[in-house]
Amino acid sequence: MPSLPNLAARLGTPNLLASLITRHGGCSLPAVSIQARHPNQTRRSKYRSSLSSQQAPVHPVSIKAHSLPSSIQSATTDPSAHLSSAHPPPSPLPPAPLSCPCAICSRRALISASLLLSASALPANAADSASSAASASAQTAEAAQAALAAIRGGKWRWQEELFAWMMATGMKEYEESVEGYKTALFEPLRAGIGRIAAAGGAGGGGGGGGESSAEGMGVSGKEGVFRVVEIGVGAGPNFRFYTPSSESSPNISSSLQTQSAPAFEIVGVDPNPSMQPYAEASAAASGLAGNQFRFLQGVGEALPLDDGCADVAVCSLVMCSVADVRQCVSEIKRILKPGGSYYFLEHVAAPQGTSLHTWQRILDPLQAALADGCHLTRSPLTAIKLSGFGAVQAREVMVPGLSLLAPHVMGTAVKA
């Protein structure tokens, strides 16, 4: 290892080294002269030698003892001291950890960073609670926008429009296959909404912090309104299963169209804005009035909704394509009121060791590329059970005629 003067000469920057050293204050030691002499100077051409000889001389500098590490102090006062066994060369720094290049990890990092925006301090007193709630709603909306940009920022508009058209027109066979399962799953919800609509309100059970906020997409609970939030609403294929129809409840259906203040509302959340016209058409076909359905653009990992604003959350074919299943389930639990229900129906991975599971693993990358990130090998029931819901009732079924999508899990979870 070269001494400090020779190192400075080899680097060719004695003036810079001197200026850096003189910036440290403290008690001074005897000055040490640093000569800007290159060891290979004699072998250079006459032109380079003459050019080097014209450089300004470097003056001695004072090195302050207490401002430098002891190893550099010893090397400065005695250039050969670092060669002794008492002063071994410093061990090299460990290599920096490699960052994972996969898209999922990058998405999770971006999502985690964006969710930090929603953290806010509690109000110092009760008088500040209203402004604090408004600030928290704005921060939630800001975090939702950041997560949306992180996950969906690279999508072209034509891709979103094509996928929305495919989901609206190409899922007829699937919907016919799962119709019986959806009817059984959503029947309690349909009956409950029917009773609320017939009574003309939710009986004051929909409180949650005032009117909805149009700014920043934040949604708060409205007093007396029963709210259903469907995450990944898509083209709205589930509306007809849990809203009163003209065939099953003609009196209720007609009253919904004439209510100025709705007894219940459905908020559909989807990352694809091209789904909105299809979802609105499905809502109208299901007998919903214009003020009973709202579409919000957002992702399941950071919902643009306030805490405890929903009485019911609905998810169907969502967990297969989200970036983080656990975070999405956590968000669903966050927006539910205590006692609120989460209805889910998801296609999942087949049991391990089966030939179907093997084919799912083989074709999973192709499925994700062609179906907007849909995966064949997800098992969201584990995340639902570990998320802290008070009660989870679920069953796994094999839907006939769906091949790779045949394994499903369906059920409900209640927030404690």
Side-chain angles (χ1 to χ4, degrees):
M1 182 176 181
S3 61
L4 186 62
N6 288 338
L7 179 60
R10 292 186 183 183
L11 292 175
T13 57
N15 292 328
L16 177 61
L17 181 63
S19 63
L20 290 175
I21 294 175
T22 54
R23 291 179 184 179
H24 297 276
C27 59
S28 59
L29 289 176
V32 178
S33 177
I34 300 178
Q35 301 293 333
R37 183 176 181 180
H38 199 285
N40 296 328
Q41 184 176 358
T42 57
R43 286 181 284 180
R44 294 188 176 183
S45 63
K46 293 182 179 181
Y47 173 76
R48 296 294 298 276
S49 298
S50 61
L51 185 63
S52 176
S53 62
Q54 296 176 7
Q55 295 180 355
V58 178
H59 300 285
V61 297
S62 297
I63 302 178
K64 311 303 179 180
H66 77 280
S67 60
L68 298 176
S70 58
S71 59
I72 297 181
Q73 292 180 27
S74 61
T76 305
T77 55
D78 185 4
S80 63
H82 68 281
L83 299 176
S84 63
S85 59
H87 299 278
S91 59
L93 294 175
L98 297 177
S99 60
C100 178
C102 76
I104 296 299
C105 292
S106 301
R107 285 180 177 183
R108 287 176 177 171
L110 289 171
I111 294 169
S112 299
S114 66
L115 290 179
L116 293 176
L117 297 173
S118 61
S120 60
L122 293 175
N125 52 63
D128 297 334
S129 59
S131 60
S132 178
S135 176
S137 179
Q139 289 176 341
T140 299
E142 186 178 358
Q145 290 282 20
L148 175 65
I151 295 177
R152 301 287 297 189
K155 295 289 183 181
W156 295 92
R157 184 59 183 265
W158 68 266
Q159 290 177 301
E160 295 179 329
E161 291 178 351
L162 177 61
F163 185 72
W165 175 80
M166 291 173 58
M167 293 297 291
T169 62
M171 294 292 288
K172 182 178 179 181
E173 181 179 352
Y174 173 83
E175 292 298 331
E176 290 177 350
S177 299
V178 299
E179 182 173 3
Y181 298 98
K182 286 188 175 182
T183 300
L185 175 65
F186 293 123
E187 182 56 35
L189 178 57
R190 177 200 283 266
I193 291 178
R195 290 192 297 269
I196 291 171
E211 293 293 326
S212 61
S213 172
E215 299 180 359
M217 301 193 314
V219 176
S220 302
K222 292 186 290 186
E223 185 176 359
V225 177
F226 185 88
R227 177 174 291 112
V228 178
V229 174
E230 183 164 349
I231 299 94
V233 66
N238 296 324
F239 295 159
R240 64 189 182 96
F241 292 100
Y242 60 79
T243 57
S245 63
S246 58
E247 292 82 4
S248 61
S249 306
N251 295 331
I252 294 176
S253 179
S254 60
S255 66
L256 295 180
Q257 300 289 342
T258 59
Q259 289 177 356
S260 58
F264 77 96
E265 69 172 354
I266 299 174
V267 178
V269 182
D270 201 280
N272 188 345
S274 299
M275 293 289 188
Q276 182 171 357
Y278 298 107
E280 290 176 345
S282 295
S286 300
L288 296 176
N291 61 350
Q292 290 181 310
F293 174 71
R294 284 185 289 168
F295 182 94
L296 297 179
Q297 187 183 10
V299 293
E301 295 88 344
L303 294 171
L305 303 164
D306 291 341
D307 298 356
C309 70
D311 297 276
V312 171
V314 173
C315 261
S316 175
L317 302 187
V318 172
M319 297 302 171
C320 59
S321 57
V322 297
D324 191 330
V325 174
R326 289 177 296 179
Q327 177 61 31
C328 186
V329 174
S330 177
E331 279 290 281
I332 293 172
K333 182 184 175 185
R334 177 183 67 81
I335 67 169
L336 281 174
K337 301 174 184 177
S341 298
Y342 164 33
Y343 289 76
F344 56 89
L345 175 68
E346 305 284 347
H347 73 84
V348 296
Q352 294 188 8
T354 62
S355 59
L356 179 56
H357 182 79
T358 301
W359 280 110
Q360 285 179 329
R361 290 177 58 87
I362 293 173
L363 297 176
D364 186 74
L366 179 62
Q367 170 78 2
L370 297 179
D372 202 24
C374 173
H375 291 271
L376 300 171
T377 55
R378 296 279 177 87
S379 298
L381 184 57
T382 301
I384 295 173
K385 289 182 176 179
L386 296 178
S387 61
F389 280 97
V392 178
Q393 295 182 348
R395 65 188 182 105
E396 298 178 348
V397 297
M398 293 291 292
V399 181
L402 294 184
S403 184
L404 295 173
L405 301 181
H408 276 64
V409 62
M410 56 184 291
T412 60
V414 179
K415 181 176 179 180

